Amino acid sequence: MSVFPKISLRPEVENYLKEGFVNKEIVSAFGKEEAERKFETLLKHLSHPPSFTTVRVNTHLASVQHVKNLLLDELQKQLNGLSIPILEHPDLQDVLLIPVIGPRKNIKKQQCEAIVGAQCGNAVLRGAHVYAPGIVSASKFMKAGDVISVYSDIKGKCKKGAKEFDGTKVFLGNGISKLSRKEIFNGLPELKGMGIRMTEPVYLSPSFDNVLPRYLFLQNLPSAVVTHVLNPQPGEKILDLCAAPGGKTTHIAALMHDQGEVIALDKIFNKVEKIQQNASLLGLNSIRAFCFDGTKAVKLDMVDTEEEPPFLPETFDRILLDAPCSGMGQRPNMACTWSLKEVTSYQPLQRKLFTVAVQLLKPGGVLVYSTCTITLAENEEQVAWALTKFPCLQLQPQEPQIGGEGMRGAGLSCEQLKQLQRFDPSAVPLPDTDVDSLRETRREDMLRLANKDSIGFFIAKFVKCKST
């Protein structure tokens, strides 16, 4: 059920996306009316959260069953005894799924209000509490301990410290203020602690702030699928070319039983520090993270001096290129203020990184390309380009195959489209989930919903047949 408006985009961005989703190939196959209906459905679904929270178990330190039991205890505490099931994913043995309750429609709105930024609002819809830096405005009489209604300023129009706001805002639920208005906006160095503890969110999800941090990694379902598609093996040398914040890097190391070598690159220093922190927290020793620009990761002089970037060609058994992208598949996302130039700026960078990955991959090696966006240009068009540019590459079937096939429009054959995975947020209707309906829903139906109602995501898998 749709309770929020569709994602707010600049008109030129919406038109650009529509051209991709209502292209000649799609119209020829399904008709213009159906293509346009599906596109509008997609825009509505992007503003809503997925229907399941996905966590990956760090199997390097604990069994899935042990962590599941600990998590059941945690949910009982957080949700005041509400009985919410935790499902083990049948095709991803290290993944647990927790249903999201909502949308809850009978929450009484309070006179006292707080406005939060759009990014903060998106996090609230996925189970987070509100931290002080995310609060943009608050009613002039707000005190610590007050029950207040929380709204998202989806268009970024509210002025910091305002006492009221009449612009476009979306109700996220009620919470208890931990701070007074005066404490939040007193002009002193910015507060960093919790500002509002959400007690009645429109979408009820568990908070994972510091919950079992050594055993769990909060991850979207397709992000966990990617590493299983890569299928890293113990003893291999593997490159994660754009690795921050390290979710997939640590997953690679865990699937290898921490045996082998995982090289993680990112060009932003504090992001590399985050990768190192995550590796240490999860007890993984096979990861080496470097602050380095992935587009320059190939060594040109052919002298192998150090085991650090840049690297000699044909060094790695498997490479993951989880490419920088427009991020248009993220959910929930009620508003994107990017210009068309920003949204379309990623394709050249992705091709530079892809070219580096092909050079660094051994013959017989596997390259997995992924994005968290929905655009044709960053997904299927990149596959078509790669197959033409690099005759040494062959597209491969994926295991597990959980997403749908690729989207028409880039000139790929039906067989090639079936070898891709596109996770399409419009694939199923938005659910209306409450505790009673959960009790009546079969496990198979819940798993099907979890697989379909995810963020927008794309995966392609290639094998390199000969030297470049």
Side-chain angles (χ1 to χ4, degrees):
M1 176 186 176
S2 178
V3 290
F4 303 135
K6 73 179 187 181
I7 182 173
S8 172
L9 302 166
R10 291 189 181 189
E12 66 269 23
V13 171
E14 185 167 331
N15 289 337
Y16 165 73
L17 291 175
K18 187 172 182 178
E19 284 172 13
F21 280 83
V22 190
N23 66 63
K24 287 181 182 178
E25 285 186 49
I26 289 177
V27 169
S28 175
F30 305 109
K32 187 176 180 184
E33 192 175 318
E34 173 60 17
E36 289 179 342
R37 185 202 62 78
K38 192 169 173 59
F39 177 65
E40 285 300 317
T41 301
L42 172 66
L43 296 185
K44 284 180 187 171
H45 288 205
L46 286 173
S47 64
H48 294 70
S51 54
F52 284 77
T53 299
T54 306
V55 292
R56 176 173 60 79
V57 175
N58 178 21
T59 51
H60 179 61
L61 291 185
S63 71
V64 172
Q65 190 58 52
H66 175 63
V67 175
K68 183 179 176 181
N69 291 338
L70 294 174
L71 194 51
L72 279 166
D73 291 341
E74 174 65 27
L75 291 192
Q76 285 283 308
K77 290 179 206 163
Q78 278 197 34
L79 305 179
N80 298 320
L82 271 182
S83 182
I84 305 292
I86 298 177
L87 306 179
E88 295 179 42
H89 198 290
D91 301 314
L92 306 166
Q93 280 75 29
D94 50 4
V95 164
L96 296 173
L97 301 162
I98 303 151
V100 174
I101 303 297
R104 302 195 295 171
K105 297 176 281 292
N106 298 319
I107 301 171
K108 184 182 177 184
K109 294 178 183 176
Q110 304 295 307
Q111 190 177 358
C112 191
E113 296 181 0
I115 309 294
V116 301
Q119 289 300 107
C120 177
N122 293 342
V124 168
L125 290 174
R126 299 207 70 173
H129 297 291
V130 177
Y131 285 79
I135 301 173
V136 181
S137 93
S139 298
K140 60 184 177 183
F141 46 83
M142 189 178 93
K143 305 185 301 296
D146 284 351
V147 178
I148 58 174
S149 287
V150 179
Y151 295 82
S152 178
D153 170 26
I154 62 172
K155 295 193 174 179
K157 299 293 187 184
C158 184
K159 289 183 179 176
K160 186 83 170 179
K163 293 175 183 175
E164 56 184 39
F165 177 60
D166 295 324
T168 304
K169 59 187 181 183
V170 173
F171 180 60
L172 304 176
N174 294 337
I176 297 173
S177 176
K178 308 292 281 185
L179 301 163
S180 69
R181 174 189 163 79
K182 187 176 178 182
E183 288 172 307
I184 296 168
F185 301 116
N186 64 3
L188 294 174
E190 200 170 70
L191 294 169
K192 291 185 179 174
M194 190 185 294
I196 302 165
R197 184 170 62 83
M198 296 301 296
T199 53
E200 289 183 290
V202 170
Y203 280 92
L204 180 62
S205 302
S207 168
F208 281 89
D209 186 27
N210 211 30
V211 171
L212 306 173
R214 287 175 60 77
Y215 294 156
L216 288 180
F217 205 99
L218 193 58
Q219 224 168 2
N220 287 300
L221 180 70
S223 298
V225 173
V226 169
T227 316
H228 283 281
V229 169
L230 185 68
N231 194 27
Q233 299 299 309
E236 290 183 330
K237 186 167 185 173
I238 296 182
L239 174 63
D240 189 349
L241 194 51
C242 303
K248 298 177 187 71
T249 310
T250 54
H251 196 187
I252 290 168
L255 290 180
M256 294 167 68
H257 309 296
D258 208 24
Q259 296 169 23
E261 191 175 5
V262 184
I263 303 293
L265 303 186
D266 201 277
K267 65 179 183 179
I268 299 173
F269 179 73
N270 61 355
K271 289 187 175 183
V272 174
E273 282 188 319
K274 184 67 177 172
I275 297 167
Q276 292 167 334
Q277 288 165 8
N278 280 328
S280 175
L281 181 67
L282 300 172
L284 297 163
N285 300 311
S286 59
I287 295 168
R288 293 197 300 137
F290 297 95
C291 185
F292 199 84
D293 182 349
T295 64
K296 299 172 182 173
V298 181
K299 188 183 281 285
L300 300 175
D301 58 16
M302 303 302 287
V303 178
D304 191 11
T305 50
E306 297 285 343
E307 281 291 300
E308 59 183 48
F311 301 102
L312 288 175
E314 302 187 348
T315 292
F316 294 95
D317 297 292
R318 296 173 201 261
I319 297 177
L320 173 61
L321 174 51
D322 185 45
C325 70
S326 59
M328 297 296 295
Q330 292 291 0
R331 295 174 65 196
N333 186 5
M334 293 192 197
C336 176
T337 59
W338 281 15
S339 67
L340 181 59
K341 185 177 179 181
E342 288 171 305
V343 170
T344 57
S345 66
Y346 286 92
Q347 194 187 66
L349 173 60
Q350 291 161 352
R351 291 185 178 184
K352 280 184 185 176
L353 289 162
F354 197 100
T355 301
V356 166
V358 174
Q359 291 174 296
L360 290 175
L361 190 63
K362 292 178 181 177
V366 170
L367 167 58
V368 171
Y369 172 84
S370 63
T371 75
C372 59
T373 195
I374 56 174
T375 71
L376 193 67
E378 296 172 83
N379 295 327
E380 288 84 357
E381 282 185 15
Q382 297 294 53
V383 172
W385 165 81
L387 292 173
T388 302
K389 176 82 172 172
F390 304 105
C392 61
L393 292 183
Q394 281 187 358
L395 204 54
Q396 292 288 294
Q398 299 180 35
E399 183 60 41
Q401 181 84 28
I402 290 171
E405 63 182 44
M407 188 166 80
R408 298 168 191 243
L412 297 171
S413 69
C414 290
E415 196 56 44
Q416 288 170 326
L417 292 175
K418 286 175 183 171
Q419 292 179 310
L420 305 174
Q421 288 200 73
R422 177 180 269 264
F423 289 81
D424 173 12
S426 68
V428 288
L430 288 171
D432 194 347
T433 304
D434 57 32
V435 175
D436 291 335
S437 68
L438 276 180
R439 289 195 196 101
E440 296 163 8
T441 305
R442 294 185 313 158
R443 181 175 176 275
E444 300 79 43
D445 292 334
M446 282 197 273
L447 288 168
R448 178 182 173 275
L449 181 60
N451 286 342
K452 299 288 184 187
D453 188 22
S454 73
I455 66 165
F457 206 89
F458 179 84
I459 310 171
K461 180 181 181 181
F462 304 86
V463 68
K464 184 176 179 179
C465 301
K466 58 182 183 292
S467 294
T468 43

Short mmCIF file of all heavy atoms in Angstrom, two decimals, residues 356-407:
data_model
loop_
_atom_site.label_atom_id
_atom_site.label_comp_id
_atom_site.label_asym_id
_atom_site.label_seq_id
_atom_site.Cartn_x
_atom_site.Cartn_y
_atom_site.Cartn_z
N VAL A 356 40.15 -1.28 -16.01
CA VAL A 356 41.19 -1.66 -15.05
C VAL A 356 40.95 -3.08 -14.53
O VAL A 356 41.88 -3.90 -14.44
CB VAL A 356 41.23 -0.65 -13.88
CG1 VAL A 356 42.05 -1.19 -12.71
CG2 VAL A 356 41.79 0.68 -14.36
N ALA A 357 39.69 -3.37 -14.19
CA ALA A 357 39.36 -4.70 -13.65
C ALA A 357 39.69 -5.80 -14.66
O ALA A 357 40.25 -6.84 -14.29
CB ALA A 357 37.88 -4.75 -13.28
N VAL A 358 39.37 -5.59 -15.93
CA VAL A 358 39.67 -6.60 -16.96
C VAL A 358 41.18 -6.81 -17.06
O VAL A 358 41.65 -7.95 -17.16
CB VAL A 358 39.09 -6.17 -18.33
CG1 VAL A 358 39.52 -7.14 -19.43
CG2 VAL A 358 37.56 -6.12 -18.25
N GLN A 359 41.95 -5.73 -17.00
CA GLN A 359 43.41 -5.86 -17.08
C GLN A 359 43.99 -6.61 -15.89
O GLN A 359 44.94 -7.38 -16.03
CB GLN A 359 44.04 -4.46 -17.17
CG GLN A 359 43.78 -3.74 -18.48
CD GLN A 359 44.29 -2.31 -18.45
OE1 GLN A 359 43.84 -1.48 -17.67
NE2 GLN A 359 45.27 -2.02 -19.30
N LEU A 360 43.41 -6.40 -14.71
CA LEU A 360 43.96 -7.00 -13.49
C LEU A 360 43.51 -8.44 -13.28
O LEU A 360 44.05 -9.14 -12.41
CB LEU A 360 43.57 -6.17 -12.27
CG LEU A 360 44.24 -4.80 -12.15
CD1 LEU A 360 43.67 -4.02 -10.96
CD2 LEU A 360 45.75 -4.95 -11.99
N LEU A 361 42.55 -8.91 -14.06
CA LEU A 361 41.99 -10.25 -13.88
C LEU A 361 42.80 -11.30 -14.62
O LEU A 361 43.17 -11.12 -15.78
CB LEU A 361 40.54 -10.26 -14.39
CG LEU A 361 39.68 -11.49 -14.10
CD1 LEU A 361 39.48 -11.66 -12.60
CD2 LEU A 361 38.33 -11.37 -14.81
N LYS A 362 43.07 -12.42 -13.95
CA LYS A 362 43.77 -13.54 -14.59
C LYS A 362 42.89 -14.19 -15.66
O LYS A 362 41.66 -14.17 -15.53
CB LYS A 362 44.11 -14.62 -13.55
CG LYS A 362 45.15 -14.23 -12.52
CD LYS A 362 45.34 -15.38 -11.52
CE LYS A 362 46.34 -15.04 -10.44
NZ LYS A 362 46.46 -16.14 -9.44
N PRO A 363 43.48 -14.79 -16.68
CA PRO A 363 42.68 -15.62 -17.60
C PRO A 363 41.97 -16.72 -16.81
O PRO A 363 42.57 -17.34 -15.92
CB PRO A 363 43.72 -16.19 -18.55
CG PRO A 363 44.87 -15.24 -18.48
CD PRO A 363 44.90 -14.73 -17.08
N GLY A 364 40.71 -16.92 -17.09
CA GLY A 364 39.92 -17.88 -16.32
C GLY A 364 39.28 -17.28 -15.09
O GLY A 364 38.49 -17.94 -14.40
N GLY A 365 39.64 -16.03 -14.80
CA GLY A 365 39.13 -15.37 -13.60
C GLY A 365 37.72 -14.84 -13.78
O GLY A 365 37.20 -14.71 -14.90
N VAL A 366 37.09 -14.50 -12.66
CA VAL A 366 35.70 -14.03 -12.64
C VAL A 366 35.64 -12.56 -12.25
O VAL A 366 36.29 -12.14 -11.28
CB VAL A 366 34.87 -14.87 -11.63
CG1 VAL A 366 33.49 -14.25 -11.40
CG2 VAL A 366 34.73 -16.31 -12.12
N LEU A 367 34.86 -11.80 -13.01
CA LEU A 367 34.60 -10.39 -12.72
C LEU A 367 33.11 -10.20 -12.51
O LEU A 367 32.31 -10.57 -13.37
CB LEU A 367 35.09 -9.52 -13.89
CG LEU A 367 34.64 -8.05 -13.93
CD1 LEU A 367 35.07 -7.29 -12.68
CD2 LEU A 367 35.19 -7.36 -15.18
N VAL A 368 32.75 -9.66 -11.36
CA VAL A 368 31.34 -9.34 -11.08
C VAL A 368 31.20 -7.83 -11.01
O VAL A 368 31.93 -7.15 -10.28
CB VAL A 368 30.86 -9.99 -9.77
CG1 VAL A 368 29.48 -9.47 -9.38
CG2 VAL A 368 30.82 -11.51 -9.92
N TYR A 369 30.26 -7.31 -11.81
CA TYR A 369 29.96 -5.89 -11.87
C TYR A 369 28.59 -5.67 -11.25
O TYR A 369 27.63 -6.38 -11.58
CB TYR A 369 29.96 -5.42 -13.33
CG TYR A 369 29.48 -4.00 -13.54
CD1 TYR A 369 30.35 -2.92 -13.39
CD2 TYR A 369 28.16 -3.73 -13.90
CE1 TYR A 369 29.91 -1.61 -13.60
CE2 TYR A 369 27.72 -2.43 -14.12
CZ TYR A 369 28.59 -1.38 -13.96
OH TYR A 369 28.16 -0.09 -14.15
N SER A 370 28.48 -4.69 -10.34
CA SER A 370 27.18 -4.43 -9.71
C SER A 370 26.99 -2.95 -9.45
O SER A 370 27.97 -2.19 -9.32
CB SER A 370 27.05 -5.21 -8.39
OG SER A 370 28.03 -4.81 -7.44
N THR A 371 25.72 -2.54 -9.37
CA THR A 371 25.36 -1.17 -8.99
C THR A 371 24.09 -1.21 -8.15
O THR A 371 23.33 -2.18 -8.20
CB THR A 371 25.06 -0.26 -10.21
OG1 THR A 371 23.79 -0.61 -10.74
CG2 THR A 371 26.13 -0.35 -11.29
N CYS A 372 23.87 -0.12 -7.41
CA CYS A 372 22.61 0.02 -6.67
C CYS A 372 21.75 1.08 -7.34
O CYS A 372 21.14 1.93 -6.69
CB CYS A 372 22.85 0.35 -5.20
SG CYS A 372 23.77 1.88 -4.92
N THR A 373 21.71 1.02 -8.67
CA THR A 373 20.89 1.97 -9.41
C THR A 373 19.99 1.25 -10.40
O THR A 373 20.14 0.04 -10.63
CB THR A 373 21.77 3.02 -10.12
OG1 THR A 373 20.94 4.12 -10.53
CG2 THR A 373 22.49 2.46 -11.34
N ILE A 374 19.06 2.01 -11.00
CA ILE A 374 18.05 1.41 -11.88
C ILE A 374 18.23 1.83 -13.33
O ILE A 374 17.51 1.37 -14.20
CB ILE A 374 16.64 1.81 -11.41
CG1 ILE A 374 16.51 3.35 -11.34
CG2 ILE A 374 16.30 1.16 -10.07
CD1 ILE A 374 15.13 3.87 -11.03
N THR A 375 19.20 2.73 -13.61
CA THR A 375 19.31 3.28 -14.96
C THR A 375 19.83 2.24 -15.96
O THR A 375 20.68 1.42 -15.63
CB THR A 375 20.22 4.52 -15.01
OG1 THR A 375 21.58 4.13 -14.82
CG2 THR A 375 19.82 5.55 -13.96
N LEU A 376 19.32 2.31 -17.17
CA LEU A 376 19.77 1.44 -18.26
C LEU A 376 21.23 1.72 -18.59
O LEU A 376 22.03 0.81 -18.84
CB LEU A 376 18.89 1.68 -19.48
CG LEU A 376 18.96 0.69 -20.64
CD1 LEU A 376 18.41 -0.67 -20.22
CD2 LEU A 376 18.17 1.21 -21.83
N ALA A 377 21.61 3.02 -18.55
CA ALA A 377 22.95 3.44 -18.96
C ALA A 377 24.04 2.86 -18.07
O ALA A 377 25.14 2.56 -18.54
CB ALA A 377 23.05 4.97 -18.95
N GLU A 378 23.74 2.68 -16.78
CA GLU A 378 24.76 2.19 -15.84
C GLU A 378 24.74 0.67 -15.67
O GLU A 378 25.61 0.11 -15.00
CB GLU A 378 24.57 2.86 -14.48
CG GLU A 378 24.77 4.36 -14.51
CD GLU A 378 24.38 5.02 -13.21
OE1 GLU A 378 25.20 5.02 -12.28
OE2 GLU A 378 23.23 5.52 -13.11
N ASN A 379 23.76 0.04 -16.28
CA ASN A 379 23.58 -1.40 -16.08
C ASN A 379 23.69 -2.17 -17.40
O ASN A 379 24.78 -2.53 -17.82
CB ASN A 379 22.26 -1.66 -15.36
CG ASN A 379 22.27 -1.07 -13.95
OD1 ASN A 379 23.29 -1.04 -13.30
ND2 ASN A 379 21.12 -0.60 -13.48
N GLU A 380 22.56 -2.41 -18.06
CA GLU A 380 22.58 -3.22 -19.28
C GLU A 380 23.43 -2.60 -20.38
O GLU A 380 24.11 -3.32 -21.14
CB GLU A 380 21.16 -3.46 -19.78
CG GLU A 380 20.34 -4.42 -18.92
CD GLU A 380 19.68 -3.76 -17.73
OE1 GLU A 380 19.88 -2.54 -17.51
OE2 GLU A 380 18.97 -4.47 -16.98
N GLU A 381 23.43 -1.26 -20.51
CA GLU A 381 24.27 -0.63 -21.53
C GLU A 381 25.75 -0.86 -21.25
O GLU A 381 26.56 -0.99 -22.19
CB GLU A 381 23.97 0.88 -21.61
CG GLU A 381 22.70 1.21 -22.36
CD GLU A 381 22.49 2.71 -22.54
OE1 GLU A 381 23.46 3.49 -22.34
OE2 GLU A 381 21.37 3.11 -22.89
N GLN A 382 26.11 -0.93 -19.98
CA GLN A 382 27.51 -1.20 -19.64
C GLN A 382 27.90 -2.64 -20.01
O GLN A 382 29.03 -2.90 -20.45
CB GLN A 382 27.76 -0.96 -18.15
CG GLN A 382 27.55 0.48 -17.69
CD GLN A 382 28.55 1.46 -18.27
OE1 GLN A 382 28.74 1.54 -19.49
NE2 GLN A 382 29.19 2.24 -17.41
N VAL A 383 26.98 -3.55 -19.84
CA VAL A 383 27.24 -4.95 -20.23
C VAL A 383 27.42 -5.05 -21.75
O VAL A 383 28.37 -5.69 -22.23
CB VAL A 383 26.08 -5.86 -19.76
CG1 VAL A 383 26.23 -7.28 -20.33
CG2 VAL A 383 26.03 -5.92 -18.23
N ALA A 384 26.53 -4.40 -22.50
CA ALA A 384 26.64 -4.42 -23.96
C ALA A 384 27.97 -3.81 -24.41
O ALA A 384 28.65 -4.35 -25.31
CB ALA A 384 25.46 -3.66 -24.58
N TRP A 385 28.34 -2.70 -23.80
CA TRP A 385 29.63 -2.05 -24.10
C TRP A 385 30.81 -3.00 -23.79
O TRP A 385 31.72 -3.16 -24.61
CB TRP A 385 29.76 -0.77 -23.29
CG TRP A 385 31.17 -0.22 -23.25
CD1 TRP A 385 31.78 0.54 -24.20
CD2 TRP A 385 32.12 -0.40 -22.20
NE1 TRP A 385 33.07 0.85 -23.81
CE2 TRP A 385 33.30 0.27 -22.59
CE3 TRP A 385 32.10 -1.08 -20.97
CZ2 TRP A 385 34.45 0.29 -21.80
CZ3 TRP A 385 33.24 -1.06 -20.17
CH2 TRP A 385 34.39 -0.38 -20.58
N ALA A 386 30.77 -3.63 -22.61
CA ALA A 386 31.87 -4.50 -22.18
C ALA A 386 32.05 -5.69 -23.12
O ALA A 386 33.19 -6.05 -23.46
CB ALA A 386 31.62 -4.98 -20.76
N LEU A 387 30.95 -6.29 -23.55
CA LEU A 387 31.05 -7.47 -24.42
C LEU A 387 31.61 -7.09 -25.79
O LEU A 387 32.28 -7.91 -26.45
CB LEU A 387 29.68 -8.12 -24.56
CG LEU A 387 29.13 -8.78 -23.28
CD1 LEU A 387 27.70 -9.24 -23.48
CD2 LEU A 387 30.01 -9.93 -22.81
N THR A 388 31.36 -5.86 -26.24
CA THR A 388 31.92 -5.39 -27.51
C THR A 388 33.38 -4.98 -27.35
O THR A 388 34.24 -5.32 -28.17
CB THR A 388 31.10 -4.19 -28.03
OG1 THR A 388 29.74 -4.59 -28.18
CG2 THR A 388 31.63 -3.69 -29.37
N LYS A 389 33.66 -4.28 -26.27
CA LYS A 389 35.00 -3.72 -26.03
C LYS A 389 36.03 -4.81 -25.69
O LYS A 389 37.20 -4.71 -26.06
CB LYS A 389 34.91 -2.71 -24.88
CG LYS A 389 36.23 -2.10 -24.44
CD LYS A 389 36.65 -0.96 -25.31
CE LYS A 389 37.87 -0.25 -24.73
NZ LYS A 389 38.41 0.75 -25.66
N PHE A 390 35.60 -5.84 -24.96
CA PHE A 390 36.52 -6.87 -24.48
C PHE A 390 36.08 -8.25 -24.98
O PHE A 390 35.31 -8.95 -24.30
CB PHE A 390 36.58 -6.86 -22.94
CG PHE A 390 36.96 -5.53 -22.37
CD1 PHE A 390 36.00 -4.72 -21.77
CD2 PHE A 390 38.27 -5.07 -22.43
CE1 PHE A 390 36.33 -3.48 -21.25
CE2 PHE A 390 38.62 -3.83 -21.91
CZ PHE A 390 37.66 -3.03 -21.32
N PRO A 391 36.55 -8.66 -26.16
CA PRO A 391 36.17 -9.98 -26.71
C PRO A 391 36.60 -11.13 -25.81
O PRO A 391 36.07 -12.24 -25.92
CB PRO A 391 36.92 -10.03 -28.04
CG PRO A 391 37.24 -8.60 -28.37
CD PRO A 391 37.41 -7.90 -27.08
N CYS A 392 37.55 -10.86 -24.90
CA CYS A 392 38.01 -11.91 -23.98
C CYS A 392 36.98 -12.24 -22.90
O CYS A 392 37.13 -13.23 -22.17
CB CYS A 392 39.32 -11.49 -23.31
SG CYS A 392 39.16 -9.98 -22.32
N LEU A 393 35.94 -11.41 -22.76
CA LEU A 393 34.94 -11.63 -21.71
C LEU A 393 33.74 -12.41 -22.22
O LEU A 393 33.27 -12.19 -23.34
CB LEU A 393 34.45 -10.30 -21.15
CG LEU A 393 35.43 -9.45 -20.36
CD1 LEU A 393 34.72 -8.20 -19.83
CD2 LEU A 393 36.07 -10.22 -19.21
N GLN A 394 33.26 -13.31 -21.38
CA GLN A 394 32.00 -14.00 -21.65
C GLN A 394 31.05 -13.78 -20.48
O GLN A 394 31.46 -13.86 -19.31
CB GLN A 394 32.23 -15.51 -21.82
CG GLN A 394 32.76 -15.90 -23.17
CD GLN A 394 32.81 -17.41 -23.34
OE1 GLN A 394 32.48 -18.17 -22.44
NE2 GLN A 394 33.23 -17.85 -24.51
N LEU A 395 29.80 -13.47 -20.80
CA LEU A 395 28.77 -13.34 -19.77
C LEU A 395 28.47 -14.72 -19.21
O LEU A 395 28.42 -15.71 -19.96
CB LEU A 395 27.53 -12.73 -20.40
CG LEU A 395 26.54 -11.98 -19.50
CD1 LEU A 395 27.21 -10.89 -18.71
CD2 LEU A 395 25.42 -11.41 -20.36
N GLN A 396 28.26 -14.80 -17.90
CA GLN A 396 28.05 -16.09 -17.23
C GLN A 396 26.71 -16.12 -16.51
O GLN A 396 26.23 -15.10 -16.00
CB GLN A 396 29.16 -16.31 -16.19
CG GLN A 396 30.54 -16.51 -16.78
CD GLN A 396 30.68 -17.86 -17.45
OE1 GLN A 396 30.64 -18.89 -16.80
NE2 GLN A 396 30.83 -17.84 -18.77
N PRO A 397 26.10 -17.31 -16.43
CA PRO A 397 24.91 -17.45 -15.57
C PRO A 397 25.30 -17.22 -14.12
O PRO A 397 26.47 -17.43 -13.75
CB PRO A 397 24.45 -18.90 -15.79
CG PRO A 397 25.38 -19.51 -16.76
CD PRO A 397 26.48 -18.55 -17.08
N GLN A 398 24.34 -16.81 -13.30
CA GLN A 398 24.64 -16.48 -11.90
C GLN A 398 23.99 -17.47 -10.94
O GLN A 398 22.90 -17.98 -11.20
CB GLN A 398 24.15 -15.06 -11.59
CG GLN A 398 24.83 -14.00 -12.44
CD GLN A 398 24.34 -12.61 -12.12
OE1 GLN A 398 24.05 -12.27 -10.97
NE2 GLN A 398 24.25 -11.75 -13.14
N GLU A 399 24.67 -17.70 -9.88
CA GLU A 399 24.16 -18.59 -8.83
C GLU A 399 24.50 -17.95 -7.48
O GLU A 399 25.66 -17.69 -7.21
CB GLU A 399 24.82 -19.97 -8.95
CG GLU A 399 24.31 -21.00 -7.96
CD GLU A 399 22.82 -21.28 -8.09
OE1 GLU A 399 22.32 -21.37 -9.22
OE2 GLU A 399 22.17 -21.42 -7.04
N PRO A 400 23.50 -17.65 -6.64
CA PRO A 400 22.07 -17.88 -6.84
C PRO A 400 21.44 -16.81 -7.74
O PRO A 400 21.91 -15.68 -7.80
CB PRO A 400 21.51 -17.77 -5.42
CG PRO A 400 22.43 -16.83 -4.73
CD PRO A 400 23.79 -17.06 -5.30
N GLN A 401 20.37 -17.19 -8.42
CA GLN A 401 19.60 -16.27 -9.28
C GLN A 401 18.33 -15.91 -8.51
O GLN A 401 17.38 -16.69 -8.46
CB GLN A 401 19.26 -16.94 -10.61
CG GLN A 401 18.49 -16.06 -11.58
CD GLN A 401 19.35 -15.13 -12.42
OE1 GLN A 401 20.49 -15.42 -12.69
NE2 GLN A 401 18.78 -14.00 -12.82
N ILE A 402 18.33 -14.74 -7.90
CA ILE A 402 17.21 -14.33 -7.04
C ILE A 402 16.46 -13.14 -7.65
O ILE A 402 15.24 -13.05 -7.56
CB ILE A 402 17.74 -14.00 -5.62
CG1 ILE A 402 18.18 -15.31 -4.94
CG2 ILE A 402 16.68 -13.30 -4.78
CD1 ILE A 402 18.90 -15.13 -3.64
N GLY A 403 17.19 -12.22 -8.28
CA GLY A 403 16.56 -11.10 -8.96
C GLY A 403 15.94 -11.53 -10.28
O GLY A 403 16.07 -12.68 -10.71
N GLY A 404 15.29 -10.58 -10.95
CA GLY A 404 14.73 -10.85 -12.26
C GLY A 404 15.79 -10.73 -13.35
O GLY A 404 16.96 -10.44 -13.07
N GLU A 405 15.40 -10.97 -14.59
CA GLU A 405 16.36 -10.85 -15.69
C GLU A 405 16.60 -9.38 -16.01
O GLU A 405 15.91 -8.48 -15.52
CB GLU A 405 15.85 -11.59 -16.92
CG GLU A 405 14.56 -11.05 -17.50
CD GLU A 405 14.09 -11.88 -18.70
OE1 GLU A 405 14.12 -13.12 -18.64
OE2 GLU A 405 13.68 -11.25 -19.69
N GLY A 406 17.60 -9.13 -16.86
CA GLY A 406 17.94 -7.76 -17.24
C GLY A 406 16.83 -7.08 -18.01
O GLY A 406 15.91 -7.73 -18.52
N MET A 407 16.94 -5.75 -18.13
CA MET A 407 15.91 -4.96 -18.80
C MET A 407 16.26 -4.77 -20.27
O MET A 407 17.42 -4.57 -20.62
CB MET A 407 15.80 -3.59 -18.11
CG MET A 407 14.64 -2.75 -18.60
SD MET A 407 14.31 -1.34 -17.51
CE MET A 407 15.57 -0.19 -18.05
#
